[in-house]
Amino acid sequence: MSEAGPSSDPSNAQAAQIPLQDFILPSFPAEASSLHSLTLTSDIKLDEYQGLLQSQSNLEIPPLPSSITDLTLELFSLGFPASFLPQLASRLPNLKSLTVFSSLIDGLDSATRKDAETFIQHIAQNGLRQLHLIDTFCRPGFIRITASAFHDHASGDAADSKGSLQLLEVSYTYRGHNDPTFSSRMPDSEIAHLAAIPSLVAASLVLAAPALPPEGQNASLEDPSNLDANGKLIDDKRPEGIIPISGSSSTILETALLNVKQNKRSVEKRMLDTTLYTLTPAQATKILAAHPTIAVLSMCLIVRHGGDVWFTELKNALKESKELEVLEIVAIPSQEVYEKARAASPSTQDTLAGLLFPSPVEVEELGSLCPKLQSFKMDVLRTRSSGAMEWIRQESDGRWVGGLIRAEGNGSSS
């Protein structure tokens, strides 16, 4: 067990990370009473994983320090053995933050699915404040059950004494370039229902672009799915960008964000990231009118026309956002916009930037419309090859500084 704290004294340790080669947890010494954060990391060999799920089912988890408030479960790609998650919840009565990273949270069978549901019900009723689900998958129906558990608790009287979920993060790294099943495996329509939890102050439903390997590093840090049999980038290009979810799931998200205001226990939102979904400017206008207290906002918005029409739509969407401080727009150009850019210039990227990105004068207009706005970023589908724009308002004199960030030509568009 590795510990991180101000000294090597176990009584001073604030965090512990335990790599597990099976599901047997160590006993903690009495001196670990100051431990606040526990990370369990799977280091289980894949060819042994399923066998351990069977042989270590109903294994008793030893007592854990009651001081633990933050739990991280990472890399449990085949889930957990029977009874593991419910026991973990009961051993951590003061849990306030849960992070699940790159794991199959509800496992492979009906027993582990039931365990995961019990686990979620327990931590919701016990007043979990933060939930982070990062690159975590599950079978159909589980996220909807999760949404109901936290919604029901936040809507009931028990929330007054125990507290309820305030911060939600559901984040996926886009893998659709090399995995044609990626989008179909995401429970996007169920995730949208999470936005209806009335206690949320911050909600992040994120689709991130694949990260670049550190500059100057060799191909060993490159995503293997980007490489050919010789370890070289396929077609000498690295896939980039995202394709956010569109269609009925976006409508479910819009409905959830509008209906949550009707709940008598609904709190004012301060942070909203919906980049997992494609929204129209009209949908954004309705959502932001219902949530005028948002200070930090990120959205994927479809741009059907570009130019003055697009800027007018953007201003209309933001007209009620007087508390907005940080704004990120991920533009999704329509086919009409792409064709207009191609017809105007051989350099489609530069013309696309002109059609999509507000001019310095228009940025000033947005600053007047949203008087607290301090930062404004915009890109095209999170691609590097299409360029980006970034503006910062100086505190000293209120002037906007920044502009276009030139496109990088070493990627391929999604």
PDB file of all heavy atoms in Angstrom, residues 220-233:
ATOM      1  N   SER A 220       5.902   4.574 -28.342  1.00  0.00           N
ATOM      2  CA  SER A 220       5.408   3.680 -27.298  1.00  0.00           C
ATOM      3  C   SER A 220       4.271   4.315 -26.508  1.00  0.00           C
ATOM      4  O   SER A 220       3.495   3.620 -25.856  1.00  0.00           O
ATOM      5  CB  SER A 220       6.551   3.295 -26.347  1.00  0.00           C
ATOM      6  OG  SER A 220       7.025   4.446 -25.658  1.00  0.00           O
ATOM      7  N   LEU A 221       4.176   5.666 -26.556  1.00  0.00           N
ATOM      8  CA  LEU A 221       3.106   6.364 -25.861  1.00  0.00           C
ATOM      9  C   LEU A 221       1.948   6.711 -26.792  1.00  0.00           C
ATOM     10  O   LEU A 221       0.989   7.352 -26.377  1.00  0.00           O
ATOM     11  CB  LEU A 221       3.652   7.640 -25.205  1.00  0.00           C
ATOM     12  CG  LEU A 221       4.676   7.407 -24.086  1.00  0.00           C
ATOM     13  CD1 LEU A 221       5.201   8.738 -23.563  1.00  0.00           C
ATOM     14  CD2 LEU A 221       4.071   6.608 -22.954  1.00  0.00           C
ATOM     15  N   GLU A 222       2.039   6.294 -28.032  1.00  0.00           N
ATOM     16  CA  GLU A 222       0.965   6.547 -28.985  1.00  0.00           C
ATOM     17  C   GLU A 222      -0.159   5.534 -28.762  1.00  0.00           C
ATOM     18  O   GLU A 222       0.075   4.393 -28.363  1.00  0.00           O
ATOM     19  CB  GLU A 222       1.509   6.403 -30.408  1.00  0.00           C
ATOM     20  CG  GLU A 222       0.527   6.752 -31.501  1.00  0.00           C
ATOM     21  CD  GLU A 222       0.194   8.225 -31.525  1.00  0.00           C
ATOM     22  OE1 GLU A 222       1.109   9.036 -31.730  1.00  0.00           O
ATOM     23  OE2 GLU A 222      -0.980   8.550 -31.323  1.00  0.00           O
ATOM     24  N   ASP A 223      -1.395   5.952 -28.998  1.00  0.00           N
ATOM     25  CA  ASP A 223      -2.540   5.043 -28.933  1.00  0.00           C
ATOM     26  C   ASP A 223      -2.311   3.914 -29.945  1.00  0.00           C
ATOM     27  O   ASP A 223      -2.168   4.170 -31.138  1.00  0.00           O
ATOM     28  CB  ASP A 223      -3.813   5.817 -29.276  1.00  0.00           C
ATOM     29  CG  ASP A 223      -5.073   4.975 -29.082  1.00  0.00           C
ATOM     30  OD1 ASP A 223      -4.975   3.737 -29.159  1.00  0.00           O
ATOM     31  OD2 ASP A 223      -6.135   5.569 -28.881  1.00  0.00           O
ATOM     32  N   PRO A 224      -2.259   2.651 -29.487  1.00  0.00           N
ATOM     33  CA  PRO A 224      -1.979   1.537 -30.406  1.00  0.00           C
ATOM     34  C   PRO A 224      -2.944   1.462 -31.580  1.00  0.00           C
ATOM     35  O   PRO A 224      -2.578   0.998 -32.663  1.00  0.00           O
ATOM     36  CB  PRO A 224      -2.089   0.304 -29.508  1.00  0.00           C
ATOM     37  CG  PRO A 224      -1.853   0.805 -28.125  1.00  0.00           C
ATOM     38  CD  PRO A 224      -2.417   2.188 -28.096  1.00  0.00           C
ATOM     39  N   SER A 225      -4.179   1.906 -31.385  1.00  0.00           N
ATOM     40  CA  SER A 225      -5.152   1.822 -32.470  1.00  0.00           C
ATOM     41  C   SER A 225      -4.838   2.789 -33.604  1.00  0.00           C
ATOM     42  O   SER A 225      -5.414   2.693 -34.688  1.00  0.00           O
ATOM     43  CB  SER A 225      -6.561   2.093 -31.936  1.00  0.00           C
ATOM     44  OG  SER A 225      -6.664   3.408 -31.418  1.00  0.00           O
ATOM     45  N   ASN A 226      -3.904   3.735 -33.365  1.00  0.00           N
ATOM     46  CA  ASN A 226      -3.506   4.678 -34.418  1.00  0.00           C
ATOM     47  C   ASN A 226      -2.335   4.170 -35.255  1.00  0.00           C
ATOM     48  O   ASN A 226      -1.931   4.834 -36.212  1.00  0.00           O
ATOM     49  CB  ASN A 226      -3.100   6.025 -33.804  1.00  0.00           C
ATOM     50  CG  ASN A 226      -4.251   6.710 -33.102  1.00  0.00           C
ATOM     51  OD1 ASN A 226      -5.405   6.423 -33.369  1.00  0.00           O
ATOM     52  ND2 ASN A 226      -3.921   7.618 -32.202  1.00  0.00           N
ATOM     53  N   LEU A 227      -1.773   3.005 -34.885  1.00  0.00           N
ATOM     54  CA  LEU A 227      -0.542   2.529 -35.507  1.00  0.00           C
ATOM     55  C   LEU A 227      -0.789   1.331 -36.409  1.00  0.00           C
ATOM     56  O   LEU A 227      -1.684   0.522 -36.165  1.00  0.00           O
ATOM     57  CB  LEU A 227       0.469   2.144 -34.419  1.00  0.00           C
ATOM     58  CG  LEU A 227       0.791   3.225 -33.376  1.00  0.00           C
ATOM     59  CD1 LEU A 227       1.745   2.672 -32.326  1.00  0.00           C
ATOM     60  CD2 LEU A 227       1.372   4.467 -34.036  1.00  0.00           C
ATOM     61  N   ASP A 228       0.036   1.234 -37.473  1.00  0.00           N
ATOM     62  CA  ASP A 228      -0.033   0.066 -38.344  1.00  0.00           C
ATOM     63  C   ASP A 228       0.845  -1.053 -37.795  1.00  0.00           C
ATOM     64  O   ASP A 228       1.380  -0.961 -36.681  1.00  0.00           O
ATOM     65  CB  ASP A 228       0.357   0.439 -39.777  1.00  0.00           C
ATOM     66  CG  ASP A 228       1.786   0.963 -39.890  1.00  0.00           C
ATOM     67  OD1 ASP A 228       2.614   0.694 -38.975  1.00  0.00           O
ATOM     68  OD2 ASP A 228       2.090   1.644 -40.896  1.00  0.00           O
ATOM     69  N   ALA A 229       1.007  -2.120 -38.579  1.00  0.00           N
ATOM     70  CA  ALA A 229       1.758  -3.282 -38.115  1.00  0.00           C
ATOM     71  C   ALA A 229       3.224  -2.959 -37.857  1.00  0.00           C
ATOM     72  O   ALA A 229       3.898  -3.680 -37.105  1.00  0.00           O
ATOM     73  CB  ALA A 229       1.647  -4.413 -39.136  1.00  0.00           C
ATOM     74  N   ASN A 230       3.713  -1.877 -38.464  1.00  0.00           N
ATOM     75  CA  ASN A 230       5.116  -1.490 -38.278  1.00  0.00           C
ATOM     76  C   ASN A 230       5.290  -0.432 -37.191  1.00  0.00           C
ATOM     77  O   ASN A 230       6.376   0.112 -37.023  1.00  0.00           O
ATOM     78  CB  ASN A 230       5.685  -0.954 -39.603  1.00  0.00           C
ATOM     79  CG  ASN A 230       5.673  -2.012 -40.691  1.00  0.00           C
ATOM     80  OD1 ASN A 230       6.046  -3.167 -40.434  1.00  0.00           O
ATOM     81  ND2 ASN A 230       5.242  -1.645 -41.895  1.00  0.00           N
ATOM     82  N   GLY A 231       4.217  -0.143 -36.479  1.00  0.00           N
ATOM     83  CA  GLY A 231       4.315   0.850 -35.410  1.00  0.00           C
ATOM     84  C   GLY A 231       4.320   2.277 -35.886  1.00  0.00           C
ATOM     85  O   GLY A 231       4.677   3.187 -35.132  1.00  0.00           O
ATOM     86  N   LYS A 232       3.897   2.519 -37.123  1.00  0.00           N
ATOM     87  CA  LYS A 232       3.837   3.875 -37.684  1.00  0.00           C
ATOM     88  C   LYS A 232       2.386   4.354 -37.719  1.00  0.00           C
ATOM     89  O   LYS A 232       1.456   3.554 -37.805  1.00  0.00           O
ATOM     90  CB  LYS A 232       4.418   3.896 -39.100  1.00  0.00           C
ATOM     91  CG  LYS A 232       5.853   3.388 -39.207  1.00  0.00           C
ATOM     92  CD  LYS A 232       6.825   4.295 -38.475  1.00  0.00           C
ATOM     93  CE  LYS A 232       8.267   3.816 -38.667  1.00  0.00           C
ATOM     94  NZ  LYS A 232       9.229   4.680 -37.924  1.00  0.00           N
ATOM     95  N   LEU A 233       2.224   5.680 -37.662  1.00  0.00           N
ATOM     96  CA  LEU A 233       0.884   6.239 -37.768  1.00  0.00           C
ATOM     97  C   LEU A 233       0.253   5.841 -39.098  1.00  0.00           C
ATOM     98  O   LEU A 233       0.886   5.956 -40.150  1.00  0.00           O
ATOM     99  CB  LEU A 233       0.930   7.765 -37.663  1.00  0.00           C
ATOM    100  CG  LEU A 233       1.135   8.345 -36.264  1.00  0.00           C
ATOM    101  CD1 LEU A 233       1.349   9.857 -36.363  1.00  0.00           C
ATOM    102  CD2 LEU A 233      -0.051   8.048 -35.361  1.00  0.00           C
TER     103      LEU A 233
END
